[in-house]
Every structure is written in C-alpha cells, then in structure tokens.
C-alpha cells in the first residue's frame, strides 16, 4: 500500500499553497484535487483583491499558476476524490475514488465549500438547465435575456453586476429588506440601472417547460404572490463546507465547518490539519485560504519532525 508522508486533499488556494510549502520543506506531498481543480475561485472571473496584482488577475490563471508553482517544487498533484477515511490510528487510511486505499502520516484537509441551493423540487428539475450557482460559468448563455439572482450577500451582488453586463435585466431576489453584502458591493448594485432588487421576497417555485426556465413564482413578506418572467435562475445563497466524509472522526461545528484549535490548523485528530474554507465560516477569501494552507504545511512539518 502506498504510504505518503504528507497528503493534501483539495485543489484550491489552501491546498496548492500547502503543497508549495510542503514540497519546499522536502515533505514530498501528494495532493488530490477532487472534482473541482482550482476550487471555487475558478467560478469567478477577475480577482481584484489578491495582493500583488495591481490590475487584478484572471482567477483561472491564478489557480493554474499556484498549481504550477507547487508542481515546480515537486508536489505530486493527482486527479481523484477522497471517498472514505479511517483516522482512528496512524498511519491514516484514505480511499481514493472508492477503490484505492492509501496511507498517510499526516493529512491536510483543504476541501473547501460548495454552493447551496434552496431545495425546491422545481429548482432540482431545472438544475443544469437554466438553474445555476455560478454566474461567471453560465452567464454567457443569457446574453440579452432576463435573469434572477437569489441572495443578498457579496456573492449575489457580484454575480448580479456581472450578469447585468451581459443580460437585458437582472432581478435580485432578497429575502430581507437589507443586503448582507459589504457597502462597496451594495453601491455597485445601486449604480447598475438594469438590476431590480425585489426586497422581502422568497422563491416559491421555479417555472419552466421543456425548453427550460421561463419564470419564477415569488412570495413577498406581506403575502403577495407574483411571477417574474426570466430565462435563467442563479443561486448565490452561501456555501456548504465539504467536510462530510471526515465527520466520523473530525469535529465540526453546527454548520459543518471543521473545528481547528485556536490559531492553529490542528483538528481534534493529531496529525490531521484543516485549511481554507472547509474550516473558515467567516472570511472565506482566496488570500485567507492560502494563508491557512501555509500554516497547515508548516504545522505538518513540525508534526512529522516530532513523530
Ligand atoms: P453570505 O452568507 O454572506 O450571504 C448569503 C446571502 O444569501 C444572504 O443575503 C442570505 O440572506 C441569503 N440566503 C441564505 N439562505 C437563503 C435562502 N434559503 N433563501 C434566500 N436567501 C438566502 O454568502 P456569500 O456567498 O455572499 O458570501 C460568503 C463570504 O464570502 C462572505 O464573507 C463574503 O463577504 C465573501 N465574499 C467576498 C467577495 C469579495 O470580497 N470580492 C465576493 C464574494 C463573497 P440573509 O442575509 O437574510 O441571511
């Protein structure tokens, strides 16, 4: 059975940064990228707040470069998803793609978080067919059409302004009478004339036919039910941390975020560390994910030296 010194799970900013540090420290890391190499950042376009890029940087390019940087120092980057773990004793046992079992002396979990959906049957029915959780991936298909974005956070505002550039009209469906988003993002929305915010509204149903989405039925807080006519329905209501496969062994909070110890990336299992969005319900930025990937790799180095 293959025995790996430092196994990193996840190919986002946290995982790649951990791989850069671990490979430079001579830990011969192996990184499994999972289903979404590059992580959530690949669902956006330009990153303007990552330090070192005064003009902004293409998100996919940033991830490709982080990956290449890790590979340059010898990180072994592989396609594959961890489908089961046994953290009951060291070396830890991990199953890749439900078939290959490998052993690892130390593990960094950097599996990120996944977009949430409302859970409506009609939303499921049209998923992948005009219902999307990624405006930057799918917005292109709705040029000069009318669409709706659900949510009132930074993601929703960002996606709505992005779509407003492409689409004829963008409705924002916001369940309260205020945004959760930062002032800067709210300002962007206010300054975009083809965005209409529908306050105090919840989606009852996504409407459509064989051709895809044709509208949405909304209910306002005062009880009024009404339909809007749209061609695309975008979700931007937050994320679910990808921690399920570890839960038998690893402590998580009530929302599924992995609990780490104070300023450290240590989990409740000695030798298993967590970095990035899977353990961060608060900041969830590429730069903070990268920083925690760095911390986790440095901690693994110390751990392996002392064991
Ligand atoms: P948030 O959790 O910040 O916002 C989620 C939004 O969706 C809220 O408006 C929430 O409403 C709404 N919502 C949640 N569940 C439902 C539901 N079932 N029905 C309707 N609406 C719902 O998530 P984001 O993804 O927007 O942001 C996550 C983090 O990433 C934040 O910290 C944000 O600041 C950050 N971010 C930063 C960016 C940047 O700096 N460029 C870009 C994007 C995100 P309510 O407010 O009522 O709870």
């Amino acid at each position: 059975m293959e025995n790996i010194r430092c196994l990193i799970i996840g190919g986002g900013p946290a995982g790649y940064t951990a791989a850069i540090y671990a490979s430079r420290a001579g830990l011969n890391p192996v990184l499994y990228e999972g289903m979404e190499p590059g992580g959530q950042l690949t669902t956006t376009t330009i990153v303007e707040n990552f330090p070192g890029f005064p003009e902004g940087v293409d998100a996919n390019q940033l991830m490709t470069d982080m990956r290449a940087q890790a590979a340059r120092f010898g990180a072994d980057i592989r396609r594959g998803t961890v489908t089961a773990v046994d953290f009951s004793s060291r070396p830890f046992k991990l199953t890749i793609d439900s078939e290959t079992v490998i052993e690892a002396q130390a593990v960094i979990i950097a599996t990120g978080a996944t977009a949430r959906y409302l859970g409506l049957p009609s939303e499921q029915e049209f998923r992948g067919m005009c219902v999307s959780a990624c405006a930057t991936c799918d917005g292109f298909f709705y040029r000069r059409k009318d669409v709706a974005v659900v949510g009132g956070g930074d993601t929703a505002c960002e996606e709505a302004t992005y779509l407003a550039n492409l689409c004829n009209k963008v409705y924002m469906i916001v369940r309260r009478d205020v945004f959760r988003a930062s002032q800067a993002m709210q300002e962007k929305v206010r300054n975009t004339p083809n965005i209409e915010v529908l306050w105090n509204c919840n989606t009852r149903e996504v409407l459509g036919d064989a051709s895809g989405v044709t509208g949405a039925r909304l209910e306002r807080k005062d009880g009024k039910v009404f339909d809007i006519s749209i061609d695309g329905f975008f979700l931007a209501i937050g994320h679910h941390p990808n921690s399920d496969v570890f839960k038998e062994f690893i402590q998580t909070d009530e929302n599924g975020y992995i609990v780490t110890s104070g300023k450290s990336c240590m989990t409740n299992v000695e030798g298993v560390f967590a970095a990035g969005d899977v353990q961060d319900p608060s900041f969830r930025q590429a730069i903070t994910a990268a920083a925690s990937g760095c911390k986790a790799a440095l901690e693994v180095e110390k751990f392996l030296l002392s064991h």
Side-chain angles (χ1 to χ4, degrees):
M1 191 184 304
E2 186 179 15
N3 192 305
I4 292 161
R5 282 180 86 196
C6 172
L7 181 74
I8 300 164
I9 312 168
Y16 292 145
T17 306
I20 292 168
Y21 275 77
S23 50
R24 283 172 57 82
L27 304 182
N28 309 113
V30 171
L31 182 151
Y32 278 93
E33 287 183 316
M35 302 276 277
E36 201 181 20
Q40 277 186 79
L41 217 59
T42 57
T43 64
T44 190
T45 47
I46 301 291
V47 182
E48 293 189 325
N49 50 12
F50 201 90
F53 300 94
E55 304 303 324
V57 56
D58 178 87
N60 279 290
Q61 192 58 49
L62 179 64
M63 297 321 298
T64 304
D65 288 347
M66 280 191 199
R67 188 182 191 280
Q69 195 173 350
R72 177 160 86 90
F73 294 114
D76 180 351
I77 301 173
R78 303 176 184 175
R79 283 286 167 98
T81 302
V82 172
T83 48
V85 299
D86 179 355
F87 289 159
S88 58
S89 63
R90 284 182 66 232
F92 305 118
K93 289 189 176 50
L94 300 98
T95 308
I96 311 298
D97 293 333
S98 307
E99 41 189 43
T100 314
V101 179
I102 55 171
E103 287 183 342
Q105 300 295 328
V107 174
I108 296 174
I109 300 170
T111 44
T114 300
R116 287 175 51 210
Y117 285 76
L118 293 171
L120 302 168
S122 53
E123 174 194 54
Q124 284 305 313
E125 191 184 331
F126 295 107
R127 198 162 155 178
M129 206 181 139
C130 315
V131 169
S132 164
C134 179
T136 45
C137 316
D138 301 325
F140 184 76
F141 302 113
Y142 302 94
R143 276 171 305 163
R144 291 183 285 281
K145 294 183 171 177
D146 294 351
V147 298
V149 177
V150 186
D154 279 325
T155 305
C157 291
E158 199 169 81
E159 303 224 336
T161 45
Y162 174 79
L163 288 166
N165 257 328
L166 296 166
C167 302
N168 175 53
K169 168 141 195 166
V170 180
Y171 293 101
M172 285 188 77
I173 304 169
V174 181
R175 68 178 174 184
R176 292 188 291 151
D177 61 355
V178 287
F179 280 125
R180 183 180 287 273
S182 59
Q183 285 303 325
M185 289 309 299
Q186 294 190 30
E187 202 56 36
K188 268 196 181 175
V189 167
R190 271 194 288 273
N191 292 333
T192 308
N194 59 336
I195 297 179
E196 180 180 341
V197 183
L198 302 169
W199 300 107
N200 292 313
C201 285
N202 274 302
T203 309
R204 265 197 174 184
E205 204 183 332
V206 180
L207 308 170
D209 54 29
S211 68
V213 169
T214 56
R217 181 153 301 149
L218 309 183
E219 179 167 2
R220 218 167 49 196
K221 251 188 198 140
D222 61 10
K224 184 183 173 190
V225 177
F226 62 102
D227 294 350
I228 54 172
S229 175
I230 49 169
D231 303 291
F233 186 78
F234 289 87
L235 282 308
I237 58 167
H239 294 85
H240 173 74
N242 297 319
S243 61
D244 292 352
V245 73
F246 310 108
K247 275 186 178 159
E248 189 185 338
F249 300 93
I250 300 294
Q251 191 191 344
T252 59
D253 71 9
E254 67 279 10
N255 296 314
Y257 287 92
I258 291 179
V259 176
T260 50
S261 166
K263 287 183 180 170
S264 159
C265 293
M266 253 189 296
T267 68
N268 59 304
V269 174
E270 204 190 12
V272 179
F273 300 81
D277 287 12
V278 73
Q279 53 85 58
D280 177 12
S282 322
F283 301 109
R284 292 180 285 195
Q285 301 297 296
I287 188 70
T288 51
S292 69
C294 156
K295 280 165 54 177
L298 294 175
E299 290 190 291
V300 165
E301 190 183 354
K302 264 194 198 154
F303 172 78
L304 290 174
L305 273 176
S306 62
H307 287 74

